[in-house]
Structure formats: structure tokens, C-alpha cells
Amino acid sequence: MTDISSSSHLKSKCIDPQNGLYAVHKSIHGASTPLHVQIKIWGEQQHVSCEFSECQANMELAWRSGLQSYQCVHLRSVSYCKTFLTSPSLREDSLKEMVKSKWFGKDKIKLCVDRQTLAKENSAPLSVLSKIGAPPSKKCISVHEPTISYYSRLGRVMVSYDTKKNSWHCPCAKTQRSCTHKYIAKWHLFQTNAELFRKVRSTERSAEEFQVTAMEESDVGENTYPPKDAPAIQGMVQYILMNKKIPSTIPNHLRLSSVDKEFPRHLIPEETLCNHCPNRMVLSDPICFTQKAKILTTSGIVRDISTYYKYCPTCGALYQYQEWSESLHNFNDHVLLDLPLCLTIRNLLQVHTAVSRIVEYLELTTGVQFPSADTVLHGYLHFEALTDHEYQYSCVTCGDHPPVVIMDLHKKASFHLSVSDLAQAPEDFNGDVDSEQFWKALTEERIARGFVSSQKNNPFSVPTKFSLLGTLDREKYTALRLCP
């Protein structure tokens, strides 16, 4: 047991003097979210308790053993509390301003005001900012909760906001889902620390946080990123192919590699209006997907890059960062390649150098461990699928044909299949194929690869076959005829 004394105790602040509620640092060392304790030994309803489950178990064991005076380290530290925290008077006009800024819908005004009224009736502060325990980058707000439950054993919950990760946490809600306590905590910070709201908004993916007309909770899952269902992936793939094509001739200042090149640390989609909605709805503020993305270059790896996405609060369309004009190609929001590296891989493949050897060369040259050769290959093929190639190759037998990158030394072309493994063509196959349709399907497969964890999960996977039969929501698959 830790010896609690005037010189060694947990920091604590009183947040509700009338009900004897305190916010106490969870542990002696390190930073952590503070927890609630209650020591009320006056009036008719007396109560002494700590909301930490481990402390509750220890206290129950001590009481069953006859040690009625036992108290945990958090309760004993309260004896040395000398200050109390005040609760600001939250105004309704601040809520209206938040609705105007599209932080949440109009119906949340009544929800927050009703909770404020209920807190006054119970003689409890609605929200109190705790300044103990947590690191400076985290804001912890103790919010009144009228119902006693597993997450509010003392009638309060501790909502935290991480200013570095732009993320909210409440013990009553699942990750990245909104709740009443978060609404109140945002109301508190919006009124007392408005500059926080001028930065990128939180990573919560609940649509009702950003639209004027609130959605039902059942609709929140539509904005999950990266998309999981085939229609959502297809919508993103079609939009990227339509609007994010890389020109066949890249400007020289983007083609050349430079050791001193500085990349942006926050990669945010440039779209501000939805291109799918007829009335061009305003998109949500950027939402951070990860802060650990990596940019692969010919001179090494740039780490700790933040990637963001946006979504339309009306139709749920998702928008990914994909801006080639910044000399970057985004594969899957975790791995990005700069354009000089993509062009280097293309040139080395055309002189019959396998991707695994290219990665080995980069690691030996830079002294940095790169992702696996498969990851680099998928990222490169993603780049080629988005490039607007100028088709100048033709065969005397087959006629016009899209340009191909010779990859025989790596994996027998991008199909992972040898020619000898192909089944014989059906007897009724006359050799007529729709090459444009086939390459379009193959391009969609490559782009969709950036949204799935593996090729087997890719809903747009293209099998290599002679027949016109196919599935996966396509009308047909065209045959692939191999040029000798």
C-alpha cells in the first residue's frame, strides 16, 4: 500500500462541494485521466466511495472482513485537497453558434439545455474542467449524469479531448461515436476555450456532429472509413478515376528527387463541396485517419504523417487525400509514395529488375527498412492505374493494345499466374475481346486495393479467364487474349 501523507499524496480538486465529489489523479506517477471519488459524511444521504472498480473491490473485501474504516489511496488523498473547481454558466447562445458552425444538429440544443436544467434541480454542476492528472494536451471535463450506471457510479462521467489526436473519449460511448456527455463537454470548451475549435475537428465519425439536420444513430455507420461495402468502395473508385488522374507527362519539378524536399505533415483532401449531391452540400471538416502514415522516397522514409478524410453529411460520400500536384501518391492512407520513387520503380521494371530487388536496393542505399516488396508493388500498381497513359503501342496481330510493364522477373505479370496455368479456350471462343472494358475492370481492381486489407477482400477482383462469365456486380467480364 502507498503511504499517503501531506508530502506524498495524489492531487485532487473538489468539483461539487455540496455533494462531496472530487476529481483525483489516478496514480502517483505518470499522466492519466482523473477519476471521481465521493466523501459525503453529512446530511441524510451519506456516501463514501471511489469509482475505480479495483478500489471498490478492495473496499468491499475490507468491509466484509470487518475493516469498516478502510479507504483507498484516492479517498485518503482527498484529506489534503485545498481547492475546488468552479463550473461556468453555459449559455444557450453558445449552443446556437455551434449549430451554425455545424458541430451538431438543432435537436441537440434542447438535449443539452434539458441536462443543464436537470443538473440545477439536483444541485450539481453541469460540467467542470479538471486540470489534474492528464497531460497538457488533454482536456478532461467532468459532466453530470443523472442516472447511476456502470460508467457513472457517482453520477458523473469524465469526458476527455486529446488536442494532439483530435479525438474524444467518453466511458459511456463506443470509440468515435457521439453521446450527450460529449455534446456538453464540447459546449463547455466552445464557450471557455474557443480557439480549440478553429483547428481540425475530432476523429468522431458520427455524421450528426457536423450536419444541420441530424441523422438517426443507425445511419452513422455509413460514414465508416475506409469503406467496407462494395457500393461505397465503387463510389470512391469511380470518383478517383474521374477526378484524380495523374497526367502522362508529369512536370519536371515533380519528377526530380531531392533530399531536401519538404512534404506537408497534414494531408487533407482539397474538396470542400460534395460532387455527388445535386445541391453541392458542404463537406465535413477534415477528420484524422492516422498520424503514423509514411511517405516512401528514393532517399528514405518520412514518418509521422497525418492523413485525413472528409465526408458528405447528406449522401455519406467519402473523400480521400489524393493530390498528385504535391508530388505524392496515396496508396492506402498508411503508405504514400512520392512521384520520383514511382517513376524510378517504373524505369527499373522496364529493364527487368524485380520489385523485391528494388526494395533491397533502397534499403541498402538509405539504411532504412522499407515496407514489404508486396506493399511497395501494390502501391506502385495503384499509381500506374491512376496514370493517364498515352497508348502508342500496337501489335500486327492484335492491333492497338494498352502499354504494359514487363514484370516477368517478379511475379509473372500482375495476375500472379503463368501462361501455362491458363485453361484452354472454349470451343465457341472466337477471339473477340473488349480490351477497353477489361483494362477498365483491372484498373478499378487496382484502385480498390487501397481500401481493403488483402486482395481476397477486394470486391472488384478480376479473374483471368477466357469466358465472358463473371460476378461481383458486373454485367460481364471480357476475355483476356495473350499476345505471343
Side-chain angles (χ1 to χ4, degrees):
M1 298 296 295
T2 304
D3 185 22
I4 300 298
S5 63
S6 59
S7 59
S8 177
H9 58 269
L10 298 168
K11 294 181 180 179
S12 60
K13 302 284 185 181
C14 181
I15 59 177
D16 185 358
Q18 185 168 341
N19 295 299
L21 283 164
Y22 299 80
V24 184
H25 195 176
K26 189 174 181 180
S27 58
I28 292 285
H29 302 288
S32 61
T33 302
L35 49 80
H36 296 103
V37 302
Q38 184 176 22
I39 299 182
K40 186 180 180 182
I41 51 177
W42 59 86
E44 296 181 357
Q45 296 181 348
Q46 299 185 9
H47 191 70
V48 178
S49 179
C50 174
E51 71 174 1
F52 191 37
S53 57
E54 184 177 332
C55 293
Q56 285 190 335
N58 291 337
M59 290 180 68
E60 290 174 1
L61 176 62
W63 292 344
R64 288 197 301 268
S65 303
L67 302 175
Q68 299 295 328
S69 61
Y70 171 83
Q71 290 185 349
C72 66
V73 291
H74 307 106
L75 288 170
R76 283 186 283 151
S77 296
V78 169
S79 303
Y80 301 97
C81 178
K82 298 179 181 180
T83 58
F84 67 91
L85 303 172
T86 58
S87 174
S89 178
L90 301 182
R91 304 185 306 273
E92 189 172 344
D93 60 336
S94 299
L95 280 175
K96 294 179 180 179
E97 189 176 347
M98 294 183 73
V99 171
K100 186 178 179 181
S101 301
K102 299 182 180 180
W103 273 88
F104 41 67
K106 289 182 179 180
D107 60 329
K108 300 303 180 292
I109 294 180
K110 185 178 184 304
L111 182 63
C112 293
V113 172
D114 288 346
R115 282 297 181 95
Q116 187 181 45
T117 303
L118 191 58
K120 291 180 179 179
E121 292 176 355
N122 294 332
S123 301
L126 176 64
S127 60
V128 180
L129 177 64
S130 174
K131 299 180 181 179
I132 59 171
S137 61
K138 182 177 288 188
K139 307 294 182 182
C140 297
I141 302 98
S142 174
V143 179
H144 174 67
E145 168 53 52
T147 305
I148 302 299
S149 64
Y150 72 95
Y151 59 81
S152 61
R153 295 186 175 98
L154 299 178
R156 303 196 71 85
V157 295
M158 192 67 73
V159 180
S160 62
Y161 170 57
D162 194 321
T163 58
K164 286 186 176 180
K165 298 181 179 179
N166 297 307
S167 61
W168 294 84
H169 172 74
C170 179
C172 84
K174 295 181 180 179
T175 304
Q176 298 174 343
R177 298 292 292 272
S178 297
C179 67
T180 306
H181 309 113
K182 289 181 181 178
Y183 296 143
I184 296 173
K186 291 176 182 179
W187 183 15
H188 182 116
L189 289 180
F190 188 85
Q191 184 171 310
T192 60
N193 201 350
E195 60 270 14
L196 291 175
F197 290 70
R198 298 190 183 100
K199 301 177 182 179
V200 177
R201 289 184 181 172
S202 70
T203 55
E204 287 183 79
R205 296 173 189 170
S206 171
E208 57 188 3
E209 285 292 321
F210 305 106
Q211 64 182 31
V212 178
T213 304
M215 287 183 173
E216 295 295 331
E217 283 294 327
S218 59
D219 295 332
V220 173
E222 296 178 1
N223 298 308
T224 302
Y225 187 88
K228 304 297 182 184
D229 57 327
I233 296 177
Q234 186 175 24
M236 291 196 69
V237 169
Q238 295 298 334
Y239 176 80
I240 290 174
L241 286 174
M242 185 72 66
N243 299 277
K244 302 295 183 179
K245 275 283 190 178
I246 303 171
S248 57
T249 303
I250 300 175
N252 287 332
H253 71 281
L254 300 179
R255 296 172 57 91
L256 302 177
S257 178
S258 174
V259 178
D260 300 327
K261 182 185 295 185
E262 292 187 4
F263 295 99
R265 308 298 300 185
H266 299 272
L267 306 180
I268 301 173
E270 66 176 6
E271 291 85 356
T272 57
L273 301 176
C274 182
N275 289 278
H276 299 277
C277 296
N279 55 353
R280 302 278 286 171
M281 285 292 296
V282 177
L283 298 179
S284 71
D285 277 9
I287 303 173
C288 184
F289 176 68
T290 180
Q291 294 179 313
K292 298 295 183 181
K294 297 179 287 188
I295 298 177
L296 310 185
T297 72
T298 54
S299 58
I301 297 179
V302 183
R303 303 182 184 274
D304 298 331
I305 299 295
S306 298
T307 57
Y308 297 78
Y309 71 95
K310 297 179 182 179
Y311 70 87
C312 175
T314 300
C315 67
L318 296 164
Y319 293 84
Q320 178 195 45
Y321 172 84
Q322 196 63 259
E323 316 303 337
W324 65 267
S325 58
E326 295 182 343
S327 190
L328 289 174
H329 178 75
N330 184 6
F331 168 46
N332 60 4
D333 289 299
H334 292 285
V335 175
L336 300 96
L337 295 79
D338 76 333
L339 296 189
L341 176 61
C342 295
L343 298 176
T344 299
I345 296 175
R346 174 193 290 176
N347 295 332
L348 289 173
L349 284 172
Q350 289 178 340
V351 294
H352 306 277
T353 303
V355 172
S356 59
R357 295 182 179 178
I358 297 174
V359 173
E360 185 178 359
Y361 155 76
L362 291 171
E363 291 179 338
L364 291 174
T365 303
T366 63
V368 178
Q369 183 176 0
F370 273 64
S372 66
D374 273 346
T375 300
V376 177
L377 171 63
H378 290 312
Y380 166 72
L381 292 177
H382 194 277
F383 160 78
E384 290 291 1
L386 263 185
T387 300
D388 190 15
H389 291 284
E390 293 180 354
Y391 299 150
Q392 298 176 346
Y393 173 80
S394 63
C395 174
V396 294
T397 302
C398 303
D400 294 337
H401 193 72
V404 294
V405 177
I406 304 301
M407 302 173 65
D408 183 69
L409 292 180
H410 184 72
K411 282 192 174 179
K412 300 294 181 182
S414 59
F415 305 107
H416 297 189
L417 188 67
S418 300
V419 176
S420 57
D421 293 334
L422 284 173
Q424 293 296 320
E427 294 182 358
D428 57 347
F429 179 65
N430 59 8
D432 293 336
V433 297
D434 187 345
S435 60
E436 291 185 1
Q437 182 65 25
F438 173 78
W439 284 100
K440 179 177 180 295
L442 190 62
T443 299
E444 292 176 350
E445 177 195 49
R446 288 292 94 200
I447 302 302
R449 186 64 178 83
F451 302 116
V452 295
S453 58
S454 63
Q455 185 62 15
K456 67 178 181 180
N457 297 327
N458 193 340
F460 301 98
S461 179
V462 180
T464 305
K465 56 175 66 175
F466 283 96
S467 67
L468 300 178
L469 301 177
T471 55
L472 302 176
D473 297 329
R474 281 193 174 85
E475 295 181 359
K476 66 178 182 178
Y477 278 121
T478 54
L480 168 66
R481 187 178 184 187
L482 300 177
C483 179

